[in-house]
Amino acid sequence: MRSIVLPDQVWSAWSLHPPAIALLGFGALAYSVGIRRLSTEQSDAFRHRHVTAFYGGLAALAVALISPLDRVAGTIFSGHMVQHLVLISIAAPLLVYGRPGLPMFLALPADLRHSLKAIAMNLAWTRRVGRLILNPILVAGFHAVVLWAWHLPGPYQAALAHDGLHIAEHVSFIATAILLWSLIIGRGERRRLGYAPAVMLVFVTSLQSGALGAILTFAMSELYPLHRGGAAAWGLTSLEDQQLAGGIMWIPQGMLYLAAMAILLWKAFAEVEARVLREEAADKTRAAALGLGGQP
C-alpha cells in the first residue's frame, strides 16, 4: 500500500523511479539519433509536428509516472483515473503521431539493423504476426478487456498494493493504447484501415470506456475501500472519490475521443473533396483534348 499524500504535500511528492527515468531518457536520445540519421528524403516525412508530438508524448509519460500525479494516484482513485487518462488518451496518441518506428530502428547499431532486417524479410511469420497484432477487432477487444479487468475491485486494489502488478497495469494500458492509436492515426495502418473504420474504432472504444465511467459514477456503494483513507485526507468520502473518477473517465476522456472522431471525419471529407476536384480536372482535360471544352 502506498503512503497517503496530503494536498499540501503534492508539489514535493515526486516519484523519481530510476527505471522510468532511464527509459524515458533512452527513448528521447534514441529518437534524436534516429532523426539525425534519416536521409533528406526520409526526413521530409518527419515534420516538426511529428517530432514535437513524440517528445510531447514522452513528457506526458513523465507527468503520469514521475510527477506528483503518480503519488496522488496512489492516494485517491480520481487521481489514478487522471493518470490513466494521460497514459491512454494523451501519451499514446502523441507517441504514435511521432512515428517512432523508423527513427528508433535507425538509432540501432548498423550490424544489428541489418540482422533484424534480414530476419524480418526471411520469416513470413513475422508479417502474419504483425497483421494479427494490428487486427482492429482484436486490438479493440484486447484494449477493452485490459481497461475493464484492471478496474475490477480485486485486480485494481491488488495492483495498488503490489508494485509489480502496478507496473504490469501501466504497461498493459500504454501498450494496448499504442496499438489502438496506431490503427487510428498511425501513418501506414490508418491508411490501410481507412477513415470510416477508424471513426468506428474510436466510437466503439469511447462507448465501452464511457460505459465503465458511467458505472463508476452512478454506483451506490464504494468499490475500492483501499482508497478510503486517502479520500478522507482529501476531504472526500470513498464513494465521492469514486464518482469523481467515473466522471473523469466518462466526460473528459469521452471529449478526447469525440475530438479524434471529428478530426478523422474532417480529413475524410477533405479527401473526398480532393478526389472530386481531381476527377473534375481530369474530365476537363479529356474534354479539351477531344475539342469538346471551351466552345460556345
Side-chain angles (χ1 to χ4, degrees):
M1 177 64 180
R2 295 184 168 193
S3 59
I4 291 175
V5 176
L6 300 176
D8 59 358
Q9 299 173 334
V10 167
W11 294 112
S12 61
W14 290 78
S15 296
L16 302 179
H17 304 298
I21 295 173
L23 285 173
L24 291 174
F26 174 79
L29 179 61
Y31 187 84
S32 176
V33 170
I35 288 293
R36 287 199 301 270
R37 288 180 176 175
L38 286 170
S39 67
T40 303
E41 294 79 8
Q42 291 172 320
S43 62
D44 288 341
F46 286 83
R47 304 182 187 278
H48 291 303
R49 64 176 180 268
H50 299 300
V51 176
T52 301
F54 181 78
Y55 285 113
L58 290 183
L61 286 179
V63 168
L65 304 176
I66 297 175
S67 82
L69 176 58
D70 183 58
R71 295 283 303 280
V72 173
T75 299
I76 54 176
F77 185 40
S78 50
H80 213 131
M81 196 61 73
V82 171
Q83 185 182 46
H84 293 173
L85 185 152
V86 172
L87 290 173
I88 293 171
S89 299
I90 298 178
L94 286 175
L95 291 174
V96 169
Y97 192 70
R99 302 178 183 175
L102 182 57
M104 292 296 192
F105 179 73
L106 292 177
L108 297 173
D111 292 343
L112 181 57
R113 292 202 306 270
H114 295 321
S115 299
L116 291 175
K117 189 173 182 180
I119 293 173
M121 292 181 65
N122 293 329
L123 295 178
W125 67 267
T126 59
R127 292 185 289 274
R128 290 196 294 269
V129 169
R131 287 193 295 269
L132 180 64
I133 291 175
L134 288 173
N135 180 287
I137 296 175
L138 291 180
V139 169
F142 192 32
H143 181 67
V145 168
V146 166
L147 189 68
W148 283 74
W150 281 118
H151 285 93
L152 293 174
Y156 176 85
Q157 294 184 113
L160 198 65
H162 300 89
D163 288 342
L165 286 176
H166 201 218
I167 292 172
E169 176 191 35
H170 286 167
V171 169
S172 63
F173 279 151
I174 192 67
T176 58
I178 284 176
L179 288 176
L180 182 73
W181 286 106
S182 294
L183 290 172
I184 296 166
I185 61 174
R187 186 184 182 191
E189 294 305 326
R190 191 241 350 122
R191 187 180 299 114
R192 180 182 67 80
L193 190 61
Y195 285 114
V199 170
M200 183 58 66
L201 185 59
V202 180
F203 179 67
V204 170
T205 302
S206 69
L207 282 183
Q208 60 90 9
S209 176
L212 178 57
I215 290 173
L216 295 174
T217 301
F218 293 111
M220 300 305 294
S221 60
E222 64 173 10
L223 301 175
Y224 311 97
L226 203 60
H227 278 301
R228 193 177 295 162
W234 281 67
L236 300 168
T237 66
S238 179
L239 183 58
E240 290 170 340
D241 182 33
Q242 178 180 302
Q243 291 169 339
L244 178 58
I248 291 170
M249 173 176 275
W250 188 10
I251 300 175
Q253 187 152 316
M255 294 298 291
L256 290 173
Y257 287 133
L258 182 61
M261 285 188 284
I263 292 171
L264 288 169
L265 287 172
W266 174 74
K267 286 184 172 292
F269 291 140
E271 187 178 75
V272 170
E273 183 181 9
R275 184 167 61 247
V276 170
L277 291 175
R278 287 195 301 269
E279 291 174 353
E280 289 178 349
D283 289 340
K284 289 180 180 179
T285 301
R286 287 191 294 268
L290 295 173
L292 301 176
Q295 297 296 327

